Amino acid sequence: TLAQRIETRVHRMVAAGLVAEVASIVERYPGMSRTARQALGYKEVIDHLEGRCSLDEAIATVVLRTRQFAVRQERWFRRDPRV
């Protein structure tokens, strides 16, 4: 269920203008920090915009990395009895 929700969310973000948003930010702030360039979703879209991958590959990578992040969060919070 979680994997499907993540994939749906990523596709909605792309449909809502994620690529244009990232392109605008990169254009406006060419010296964007390394940390900002590594943000989940931004990194993959920047790779696409700079010609390192297709848009479909970028989207698939965003889905994969988001799923991996969710698994790490689940492991982390599993140790906390308050959650």
Side-chain angles (χ1 to χ4, degrees):
T1 303
L2 180 59
Q4 183 57 50
R5 289 178 64 196
I6 288 170
E7 185 165 355
T8 300
R9 178 175 175 261
V10 170
H11 286 283
R12 284 184 183 158
M13 289 168 52
V14 171
L18 176 64
V19 176
E21 173 187 329
V22 174
S24 172
I25 291 170
V26 168
E27 182 179 320
R28 188 170 179 185
Y29 303 102
M32 189 164 54
S33 75
R34 184 179 182 135
T35 302
R37 292 180 68 90
Q38 295 298 314
L40 199 54
Y42 276 48
K43 178 187 185 319
E44 297 78 12
V45 173
I46 290 170
D47 285 347
H48 163 66
L49 293 172
E50 294 179 350
R52 288 189 284 276
C53 65
S54 70
L55 181 57
D56 288 339
E57 290 170 327
I59 292 168
T61 304
V62 173
V63 170
L64 174 66
R65 289 188 65 221
T66 303
R67 289 177 64 188
Q68 291 169 338
F69 182 71
V71 168
R72 286 194 306 273
Q73 284 182 316
E74 286 178 332
R75 283 191 204 124
W76 175 265
F77 285 115
R78 192 177 311 147
R79 294 181 280 163
D80 190 336
R82 298 171 300 164
V83 177

